[in-house]
Amino acid sequence: QVKNLQRKVGDEWQNVGQGAISLDEEIFLSLDGGQNGLEELFPEESVAYRLTISLDSAAGNEFQNQTFATTLHVAAKQDVSEATWPEEY
């Protein structure tokens, strides 16, 4: 489970969204985790994010020193009045 998604602002990490996120859940990079106030990037700008992942509390010691692998998919659109989210991405 993703326990937390954070965005770096200056030297501090700020929470994005509201609480835990399922690994198969679609979220939006905004202060509320929804489509309002989406993250805006300008040319040549970058933003740092970090995810905090946790194991199920019932997981045994056999998971110690193991590797966790996942895929992160980011979709973006241009911020113009005619822009829409693609049907599939």
Side-chain angles (χ1 to χ4, degrees):
Q1 179 183 52
V2 178
K3 293 190 73 147
N4 201 6
L5 171 62
Q6 295 178 310
R7 176 185 192 273
K8 192 166 190 179
V9 178
D11 291 334
E12 296 187 18
W13 290 96
Q14 295 181 347
N15 291 339
V16 175
Q18 302 183 19
I21 304 164
S22 171
L23 286 176
D24 61 352
E25 183 178 351
E26 182 176 71
I27 62 160
F28 298 89
L29 297 179
S30 65
L31 291 177
D32 68 358
Q35 292 190 46
N36 297 317
L38 290 171
E39 180 72 53
E40 187 174 341
L41 292 177
F42 297 98
E44 306 300 319
E45 182 182 16
S46 65
V47 178
Y49 285 92
R50 73 178 176 188
L51 297 170
T52 304
I53 311 286
S54 69
L55 278 175
D56 186 303
S57 61
N61 289 338
E62 67 272 16
F63 293 101
Q64 287 186 8
N65 299 317
Q66 298 298 311
T67 300
F68 171 79
T70 189
T71 300
L72 177 65
H73 174 89
V74 177
K77 71 174 183 177
Q78 290 184 329
D79 188 20
V80 295
S81 60
E82 299 85 29
T84 59
W85 290 105
E87 292 290 324
E88 293 183 29
Y89 49 86

